[in-house]
């Protein structure tokens, strides 16, 4: 195998990525090359050559990306809010729309010194729980996930961010949540309707954990399962903040009543899709003025 000039390697990689349907093949080829060499993309010169081991690393990364593995898995990292989180296969890649839940939490609890107790149901990488612990330095969190890969990933992120002392990790179903009362319960549950799986991007459909994506025939199964648990664990003036799939706001709002909950805010993501539903106890709602939706 010859050491290719970078320009030729990049051209060949970009062509393969384009053929595989990757949207920005030239940019991604450069990113993969930067990953293979360990240097920033801007520092790469088109005339440089690669050592054989580096060239092989590059080809391996290109093969994985041609198979449409998410870039975040290749990097082993994903950005969320102001954090760089470790992610990998078996763990949902944090998405920008999930940051809408953080905004909703900040709106509901404006005092950053509050000693909140936080519950994150289906924590995945820990993106919500750990971001909230950073924003509320006096808060403590319980993060629950059924997937061993997620618990390991969240533990790794918590330790790296120096937050391990304030988060308790629980591997199990929603019902395994400790019997405490929480001021803030957040969840980005699986909400994609089973029949919509095929239409998802290959990165999501073929590589991300279906356990974190699929919510049954109408996408609402996880809400049905977690709301009874969340309602019982919610402190009297607490908030439940749930991520929604597009078009699910009315259906999920409709599920609240049976658990003594009422919607108090609905926040759109940056694309304008209603994304973060905030709910509280119906009894508390009558003594507080309602927040416009
Ligand atoms: N927003 C994700 C997607 O559409 C789904 C994540 C989830 O189900 N919570 O790929």
């Amino acid at each position: 195998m010859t050491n290719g000039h970078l320009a030729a390697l990049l051209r060949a990689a970009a062509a393969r990525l384009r053929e595989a349907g990757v949207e920005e093949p030239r940019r991604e080829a450069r990113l993969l090359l930067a990953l293979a060499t360990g240097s920033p993309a801007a520092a790469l010169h088109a005339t440089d050559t690669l050592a054989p081991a580096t060239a092989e690393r590059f080809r391996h990364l290109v093969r994985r990306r041609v198979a449409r593995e998410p870039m975040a898995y290749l990097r082993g990292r994903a950005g969320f809010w102001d954090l760089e989180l470790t992610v990998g296969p078996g763990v949902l890649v944090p998405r920008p729309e999930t940051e809408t839940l953080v905004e909703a939490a900040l709106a509901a609890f404006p005092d950053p010194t509050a000693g909140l107790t936080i519950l994150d149901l289906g924590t995945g990488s820990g993106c919500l729980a750990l971001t909230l612990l950073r924003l509320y330095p006096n808060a403590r969190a319980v993060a629950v996930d059924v997937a061993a890969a997620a618990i390991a990933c969240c533990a790794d992120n918590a330790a790296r961010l120096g937050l391990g002392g304030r988060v308790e990790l629980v591997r199990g179903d929603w019902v395994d949540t400790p019997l405490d009362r929480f001021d803030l319960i957040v969840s980005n549950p699986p909400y994609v309707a089973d029949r919509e799986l095929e239409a998802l991007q290959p990165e999501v459909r073929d590589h991300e954990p279906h356990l974190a994506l699929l919510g049954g025939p109408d996408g609402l199964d996880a809400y049905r399962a977690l709301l009874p648990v969340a309602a019982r664990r919610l402190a009297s003036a607490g908030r439940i903040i749930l991520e929604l799939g597009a078009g699910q706001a009315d259906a999920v709002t409709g599920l609240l009543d049976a658990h003594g909950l009422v919607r108090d805010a609905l926040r759109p993501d940056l694309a304008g899709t209603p994304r973060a539903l905030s709910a509280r106890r119906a009894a508390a709602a009558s003594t507080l003025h309602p927040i416009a939706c």
Side-chain angles (χ1 to χ4, degrees):
M1 213 173 319
T2 58
N3 289 1
H5 283 279
L6 291 196
L9 276 178
L10 278 170
R11 262 197 309 278
R16 291 191 59 203
L17 291 166
R18 183 177 297 111
E19 210 172 298
V22 170
E23 267 175 30
E24 296 183 278
R26 290 182 60 79
R27 183 175 155 273
E28 293 219 1
R30 288 183 67 79
L31 284 172
L32 294 173
L33 187 57
L35 266 183
T37 60
S39 35
L44 301 170
H45 299 291
T47 53
D48 286 347
T49 54
L50 292 185
T54 313
E56 188 43 46
R57 214 160 37 237
F58 177 56
R59 276 188 275 269
H60 179 64
L61 287 167
V62 172
R63 275 196 296 275
R64 289 175 67 186
R65 193 63 190 109
V66 162
R68 304 296 295 266
E69 204 173 318
M71 190 60 110
Y73 288 170
L74 304 194
R75 291 181 61 224
R77 288 269 192 280
F80 185 82
W81 201 260
D82 64 346
L83 305 181
E84 269 286 291
L85 295 165
T86 295
V87 290
V91 180
L92 191 78
V93 176
R95 289 147 160 74
E97 59 267 29
T98 303
E99 295 175 347
T100 315
L101 276 72
V102 178
E103 295 171 2
L106 290 171
F109 297 96
D111 177 6
T113 68
L116 299 176
T117 51
I118 299 169
L119 172 64
D120 182 4
L121 292 174
T123 195
S125 63
C127 59
L128 283 171
L130 300 176
T131 301
L132 291 167
L133 288 178
R134 288 263 292 209
L135 293 170
Y136 297 97
N138 298 317
R140 302 186 63 82
V142 174
V144 181
D145 206 293
V146 75
I151 292 294
C153 179
C154 181
D156 180 67
N157 282 317
R160 241 178 355 90
L161 296 165
L163 297 170
R166 289 198 285 136
V167 61
E168 178 190 342
L169 301 175
V170 176
R171 183 178 171 210
D173 287 314
W174 315 127
V175 289
D176 299 316
T177 302
L179 293 167
D180 300 316
R181 291 291 183 128
F182 296 90
D183 303 306
L184 172 58
I185 300 179
V186 293
S187 184
N188 172 20
Y191 55 63
V192 175
D194 293 347
R195 67 176 179 287
E196 288 166 6
L197 177 68
E198 274 310 303
L200 298 180
Q201 287 181 327
E203 283 81 354
V204 181
R205 182 190 65 212
D206 300 339
H207 297 281
E208 294 199 77
H210 289 183
L211 202 56
L213 291 169
L214 297 180
D218 62 358
L220 302 177
D221 281 359
Y223 301 103
R224 293 190 187 96
L226 76 83
L227 275 171
V229 174
R232 278 198 298 277
R233 306 296 197 280
L234 189 66
S236 55
R239 293 288 193 293
I240 299 176
I241 299 177
L242 302 174
E243 178 162 333
L244 304 172
Q248 292 177 332
D250 288 345
V252 178
T253 301
L255 296 175
L256 298 176
D257 194 44
H259 305 288
L261 299 170
V262 64
R263 179 170 108 189
D264 70 358
L266 184 58
R267 200 175 185 89
D269 62 20
L270 291 175
T273 303
R275 190 61 72 182
L277 181 153
S278 174
R280 64 173 135 186
R281 290 191 179 284
S286 60
T287 60
L288 295 165
H289 65 89
I291 296 171
C293 295

